[in-house]
């Protein structure tokens, strides 16, 4: 069964992150410690982390994707992300959700990732 989610005109495809939260930069660095085993670039710079949402009680929700739905580590990577973030001081809990909307594309990579992979 497919879940139908209604998209409103003008609504962003990717929810905004909590960039002003004091834990945000540390969460980004924790995400940068996780690598896709098939690509020698961390998942943050690959553009696989769509949203880092941190609430007032320091519960963190990560919305991420993978380079392809058939990725061999699809079942493991969300756990790797949670394990990278959970030890941070002040973190209450970490939930990682996989999404396929919008689909990942090479344009989501940082300039550093493109340079590392020889696309620049």
């Amino acid at each position: 069964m497919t879940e139908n989610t209604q998209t409103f005109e003008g609504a962003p495809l990717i929810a905004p992150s909590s960039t002003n939260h004091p834990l945000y930069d540390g969460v980004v660095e924790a995400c940068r410690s996780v690598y896709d085993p098939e690509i020698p670039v961390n998942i943050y710079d690959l553009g696989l982390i769509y949203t880092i949402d941190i609430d007032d009680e320091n519960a963190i929700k990560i919305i991420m994707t993978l380079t392809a739905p058939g990725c061999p580590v699809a079942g493991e990577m969300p756990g790797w992300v949670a394990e990278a973030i959970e030890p941070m001081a002040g973190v209450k809990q970490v939930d990682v959700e996989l999404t396929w909307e919008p689909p990942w594309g090479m344009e989501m990579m940082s300039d550093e990732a493109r340079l590392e992979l020889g696309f620049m």
Side-chain angles (χ1 to χ4, degrees), residues 17 31 37 50 58 75 79 94:
S17 292
C31 289
Y50 283 176
N58 295 346
V94 180

Side-chain angles (χ1 to χ4, degrees), residues 39-113:
I39 305 170
V41 176
N42 70 73
I43 63 169
Y44 187 84
D45 288 328
L46 273 177
L48 300 181
I49 302 295
Y50 283 176
T51 302
I52 299 171
D53 183 31
I54 310 169
D55 72 15
D56 292 339
E57 295 178 5
N58 295 346
I60 299 171
K61 180 178 181 183
I62 303 290
I63 301 173
M64 67 174 293
T65 194
L66 301 173
T67 54
C71 178
V73 294
E76 299 172 59
M77 193 166 304
W80 299 345
V81 173
E83 288 171 3
I85 298 168
E86 286 169 345
M88 289 178 52
V91 171
K92 180 180 178 183
Q93 73 180 49
V94 180
D95 293 311
V96 181
E97 175 187 323
L98 272 180
T99 186
W100 305 110
E101 293 297 325
W104 178 84
M106 290 187 1
E107 70 280 357
M108 295 175 168
M109 290 191 291
S110 69
D111 288 343
E112 292 81 7

